Amino acid sequence: MRFKSLIMAAIGTCLSLSAMAAPVTIKFSHVVAENTPKGQMAIKFKELVESRLPGKVEVKVFPNSQLFGDDNVLEAMLLGDVQMAAPSLSKFDNYTKKLQIFDLPFLFKDMGSVERFQNSASGQKLLGSLEKKGLVGLGYLHNGLKQLSANSPIASPSDIAGKKFRIQTSDVLAAQFEAVKAVPVKKPFSEVFTLLQTKAIDGQENTWSNIYSKKFFEVQDYITESNHGLLDYLVVTSKEFWMGLDDDTRKVIKSSLDEAIAHGNKIAAQKADSDKQAIIASGRTKVSQLSDAERQAWVKAMKPVWKKFESEIGADMIEAAEASNQ
Ligand code: SIN
């Protein structure tokens, strides 16, 4: 009888301890400002998850490289120091060569083509390209097409020959600038404003929302609307964290993320226009467009880069991406 009461007491203690179990914490680290597609997506994700899994999962969002930069966030994720991040697709070179496809210059006609390719069987297959490295690709998020900025006007490829351009840590982006005889300089996002301000570099490439939210337009006299490449994101987590969640929790987190991504994508489309207009209205920089002939000259100079990376990316993948332009 006494033994039975002891067992019952032990079970009771276990039950109350598990009821008090600490919530799962998801630290979500990113490098951009809160008023950007990624910043807003992360906030939405936190709201959705915490309202659907109250007391069970908490999400702590760290914007502006406060916790980790894109140069060390994946390493930290594998060590369990951060659970989610959404680095630009250009920052996975050390983990897979397959995602290099998104950096090929002039591959996508517009964001509609990007969306079609990412949703296609080929695009979805790429989400799994990090698995061998212990990372899980949970979904793509848009920012948009990139523009060129510098302290001197940019119309033809020869205008940037010999100029130093900051790039993300991508060999394709390095080859893209080398193809027009510019000097690519790989640097973290958090350093770009100061590098431009101090004229340690001459220019950079980025989306309207990043150029606006990080005030690059205040330290660059010229921006050319080149739409020459893509800056999108991959939301990632570690396999260890993801598979350590119970099935129901994982399902709710994933569906909340899908909704947050849809929200972020809407903001990306709006900001590509509104941040461009805000930059023009500021009068701090001159924004120009390329004529058809000028654009053709850039395509001709940069497109040979595709061939250089074809064996790593896969000719069939490049074909599938091109098909999304129709
Ligand atoms: C980002 O949008 O996350 C940063 C992109 C960059 O490094 O230029």
Side-chain angles (χ1 to χ4, degrees), residues 30-32 36 38 70 86-88 91 143 146 166-169 187-190 192 204-207 209-210 216 231-233:
H30 68 83
V31 299
V32 291
T36 56
K38 184 160 54 181
D70 280 338
S88 139
K91 293 178 178 166
N143 186 324
K146 288 180 290 188
R166 178 269 172 174
I167 58 162
Q168 304 175 66
T169 51
K187 289 285 178 189
F189 187 59
S190 55
V192 182
Q204 63 88 47
E205 54 163 17
N206 230 303
T207 58
S209 105
N210 280 350
F216 299 161
L231 198 166
D232 264 14
Y233 305 110

Side-chain angles (χ1 to χ4, degrees), residues 36-187:
T36 56
K38 184 160 54 181
Q40 290 297 304
M41 182 282 276
I43 290 171
K44 186 72 170 179
F45 173 67
K46 173 182 169 68
E47 279 166 19
L48 292 174
V49 169
E50 290 184 350
S51 70
R52 290 170 184 176
L53 295 166
K56 207 170 169 198
V57 178
E58 65 169 349
V59 180
K60 292 185 178 165
V61 181
F62 299 88
N64 292 312
S65 312
Q66 274 167 15
L67 191 61
F68 293 105
D70 280 338
D71 47 340
N72 54 7
V73 71
L74 297 177
E75 228 173 279
M77 189 170 279
L78 290 171
L79 292 172
D81 293 336
V82 62
Q83 288 67 42
M84 280 173 87
S88 139
L89 289 161
S90 313
K91 293 178 178 166
F92 289 92
D93 266 23
N94 289 341
Y95 294 83
T96 175
K97 297 294 174 195
K98 297 290 172 201
L99 295 174
Q100 294 185 121
I101 188 165
F102 292 104
D103 280 338
L104 295 179
F106 297 104
L107 176 59
F108 298 108
K109 197 175 69 182
D110 52 31
M111 291 307 289
S113 305
V114 173
E115 177 83 10
R116 277 192 292 281
F117 176 63
Q118 290 177 349
N119 289 335
S120 71
S122 306
Q124 291 295 301
K125 189 171 153 202
L126 289 175
L127 289 177
S129 57
L130 297 159
E131 233 166 82
K132 278 196 200 119
K133 300 285 179 179
L135 296 169
V136 183
L138 295 173
Y140 297 106
L141 169 72
H142 297 321
N143 186 324
L145 297 175
K146 288 180 290 188
Q147 322 304 335
L148 291 166
S149 76
N151 278 322
S152 48
I154 310 169
S156 72
S158 60
D159 292 333
I160 64 168
K163 308 247 180 221
K164 285 192 202 139
F165 271 72
R166 178 269 172 174
I167 58 162
Q168 304 175 66
T169 51
S170 149
D171 290 344
V172 177
L173 297 182
Q176 167 195 278
F177 278 101
E178 280 158 6
V180 292
K181 302 193 169 38
V183 183
V185 184
K186 289 181 182 171
K187 289 285 178 189

